[in-house]
Amino acid sequence: MAARSIFLTLTRNGRGRERSLSRSLASTTTTITEERGDDLKSRIFSLRLPKRSATNVLQRWVSEGRQVSISDLRHISKELRKSRKFKHALEISEWLVYHNQDEVLDSDYATRIDLMTKVFGIDSAERYFEGLPTTAKTTETYTALLHSYASLRLTEKAENLYERMKEANLSLNTVTYNEMMTLYMSVGLLEKVPLIVEEMKLQKVTPDLFTYNLWVSSCAAALNIDEVRRILDEISLGSNSGEQWIRYMNLVNMYITSGNLVNSGLNSVVESEKGITQREWISYDFLIILYGASGNKDKLDQIWKSLQMTNQKMTSRNYVCILSSYLMLGHMKEVGEIIDQWKLSAATDFDRSSCNRLQKVYKEVGLEERAVAFRLLLIQKGCDQIEES
């Protein structure tokens, strides 16, 4: 009896310990799962290869009795696009549209058009757009297809679609007009950019900073500097008085003055030595100016890095442009690095006179502290012939 009693006691204690251990393991597993972030977004982002299916992940998630909201799907799709996981983003977009018919927005259709272009090509995107119900063929979805054409430089298709939009009496917005202007800039049809601006104004659509930048850069690329200054006057007389607009006007003035841009009677734009046209260089510069004005340092970094990777001969104007933008935002470390790169460049001699002009313009627009900081940095970098001003 005693032996049996001891055995039963040990067995009960053992089972108790097993149950306790099981509960402990379950709790630990739950904690680990939570720490690892076992949510839908984490599961989808764990798919390393495009051939893996995000649709299967969604189906499994739902089969486990879990809910997925349309806002979650939109957020996940957006994050996937940022990470350039376009195929998985498209699968999320397809699920969203198929399973949430009553809640689908025009922007959901537009996103799908953009993703189909990236994943399957423009033909698939066109077929999808044409197959949309009439009610879904809105300014937003039309503009999404227009963006696809513009990004692929399909000028004729873009112009035809643009005319269709006008014939359909759609209310075009700033983004639509900007897409056409971007296209014309990319294919070198500079003379068509002001025509789009005129259409905007006739339709009483307010240009944004991106619009003005495209317009200004088209004039600068054609070396029509008088028109650039006229547009800047228009901006200054308008209702755009925010910090970004002021920075933009200052940066454009600095670029023109420091880069010695002057009017040219030539209709054609001079080619550079290694294939990039002056128009393309100036377009790059004005993209830098745009992001400098908007305070977007990440974009500045990306554009400057891409310029350096082109293996093209950089000009003094390119260096002055990026210097002025970083200096405007107070990023002196980057300013110093670019001065070093310029001085070491085998293709372009360091231009002290351009730096002098840039320093003077900073003083003229009332940014005395920036001008002083720039001069001290130049002296520190051994550019000891910088003039006092």
Side-chain angles (χ1 to χ4, degrees):
M1 288 290 293
R4 185 176 179 183
S5 176
I6 293 171
F7 173 76
L8 290 173
T9 301
L10 289 172
T11 303
R12 290 192 194 101
N13 289 343
R15 287 174 180 168
R17 283 194 295 271
E18 286 175 4
R19 285 193 294 270
S20 177
L21 181 59
S22 296
R23 285 194 296 270
S24 177
L25 287 171
S27 175
T28 302
T29 302
T30 301
T31 302
I32 291 171
T33 300
E34 289 173 354
E35 288 176 354
R36 287 179 179 173
D38 184 24
D39 53 65
L40 182 58
K41 179 182 173 182
S42 298
R43 288 191 186 185
I44 292 170
F45 268 84
S46 70
L47 302 174
R48 301 298 180 190
L49 301 175
K51 65 181 180 181
R52 301 288 298 278
S53 173
T55 304
N56 289 344
V57 174
L58 278 165
Q59 289 172 339
R60 182 175 178 182
W61 180 267
V62 172
S63 71
E64 292 172 1
R66 304 185 190 229
Q67 299 295 316
V68 55
S69 70
I70 194 167
S71 60
D72 287 339
L73 292 173
R74 288 185 182 123
H75 173 70
I76 293 170
S77 176
K78 182 179 179 180
E79 293 301 309
L80 287 166
R81 295 198 304 277
K82 284 183 182 178
S83 301
R84 303 188 67 79
K85 294 175 176 282
F86 299 126
K87 189 256 189 181
H88 293 149
L90 178 58
E91 290 177 310
I92 299 298
S93 175
E94 289 172 344
W95 177 283
L96 185 155
V97 171
Y98 183 77
H99 289 86
N100 301 273
Q101 289 289 335
D102 296 335
E103 300 178 70
V104 175
L105 303 176
D106 292 342
S107 58
D108 297 320
Y109 291 121
T111 296
R112 194 168 174 190
I113 290 168
D114 178 59
L115 288 169
M116 290 190 80
T117 302
K118 289 180 169 66
V119 177
F120 296 119
I122 192 63
D123 291 344
S124 294
E126 286 175 329
R127 286 194 297 271
Y128 177 72
F129 173 78
E130 296 299 346
L132 289 174
T134 304
T135 53
K137 289 182 179 176
T138 62
T139 300
E140 193 157 5
T141 53
Y142 264 103
T143 301
L145 185 58
L146 186 65
H147 171 77
S148 294
Y149 287 148
S151 63
L152 296 170
R153 300 186 180 187
L154 299 173
T155 306
E156 185 176 351
K157 286 194 171 190
E159 289 180 333
N160 290 339
L161 188 68
Y162 181 57
E163 290 303 317
R164 275 180 65 184
M165 294 175 76
K166 290 191 285 186
E167 290 167 5
N169 291 319
L170 292 172
S171 180
L172 306 189
N173 56 33
T174 307
V175 177
T176 308
Y177 292 112
N178 286 350
E179 289 292 352
M180 290 303 297
M181 294 171 71
T182 301
L183 169 65
Y184 288 141
M185 282 296 296
S186 68
V187 298
L189 296 173
L190 306 180
E191 68 280 2
K192 291 195 173 186
V193 172
L195 301 179
I196 299 296
V197 178
E198 287 179 20
E199 283 191 40
M200 286 185 74
K201 291 181 176 181
L202 284 172
Q203 297 301 321
K204 302 189 184 306
V205 177
T206 305
D208 60 12
L209 185 59
F210 192 64
T211 310
Y212 273 111
N213 188 61
L214 288 165
W215 188 13
V216 169
S217 61
S218 71
C219 296
L223 297 181
N224 187 351
I225 308 307
D226 287 343
E227 182 65 5
V228 170
R229 296 193 184 282
R230 191 200 67 74
I231 297 168
L232 291 179
D233 288 341
E234 178 180 314
I235 295 173
S236 66
L237 294 172
S239 58
N240 307 307
S241 57
E243 185 179 352
Q244 289 188 6
W245 291 89
I246 293 170
R247 276 202 301 251
Y248 180 75
M249 289 185 285
N250 284 337
L251 284 170
V252 174
N253 274 316
M254 289 172 190
Y255 179 72
I256 292 170
T257 303
S258 304
N260 263 349
L261 273 179
V262 294
N263 282 308
S264 171
L266 300 175
N267 291 323
S268 59
V269 181
V270 179
E271 298 280 340
S272 69
E273 292 179 11
K274 295 186 179 180
I276 290 186
T277 65
Q278 181 168 269
R279 168 184 61 81
E280 290 169 319
W281 275 129
I282 290 176
S283 297
Y284 270 120
D285 288 342
F286 272 88
L287 203 53
I288 288 171
I289 288 170
L290 175 66
Y291 289 120
S294 61
N296 193 330
K297 182 180 179 294
D298 288 341
K299 285 291 185 182
L300 281 181
D301 294 342
Q302 289 174 22
I303 296 168
W304 181 242
K305 184 178 179 180
S306 68
L307 275 174
Q308 291 175 298
M309 292 173 65
T310 61
N311 295 321
Q312 302 291 330
K313 180 181 177 181
M314 305 287 285
T315 67
S316 295
R317 194 183 299 134
N318 301 137
Y319 283 107
V320 167
C321 181
I322 190 68
L323 277 174
S324 63
S325 294
Y326 277 128
L327 186 58
M328 178 68 73
L329 299 179
H331 296 296
M332 300 308 295
K333 174 176 174 288
E334 285 74 11
V335 172
E337 289 172 353
I338 290 168
I339 291 171
D340 290 338
Q341 292 167 15
W342 192 358
K343 289 175 67 179
L344 293 172
S345 171
T348 305
D349 291 336
F350 184 78
D351 188 348
R352 288 181 170 83
S353 62
S354 291
C355 291
N356 282 329
R357 287 194 295 272
L358 181 58
Q359 181 194 347
K360 288 176 182 177
V361 176
Y362 260 93
K363 283 189 174 184
E364 288 169 4
V365 299
L367 296 171
E368 180 78 25
E369 289 185 10
R370 291 280 192 270
V372 171
F374 184 46
R375 183 174 186 278
L376 291 175
L377 187 58
L378 287 166
I379 294 172
Q380 179 187 329
K381 295 292 182 181
C383 308
D384 51 3
Q385 295 180 25
I386 296 300
E387 300 172 2
E388 288 281 2
S389 57

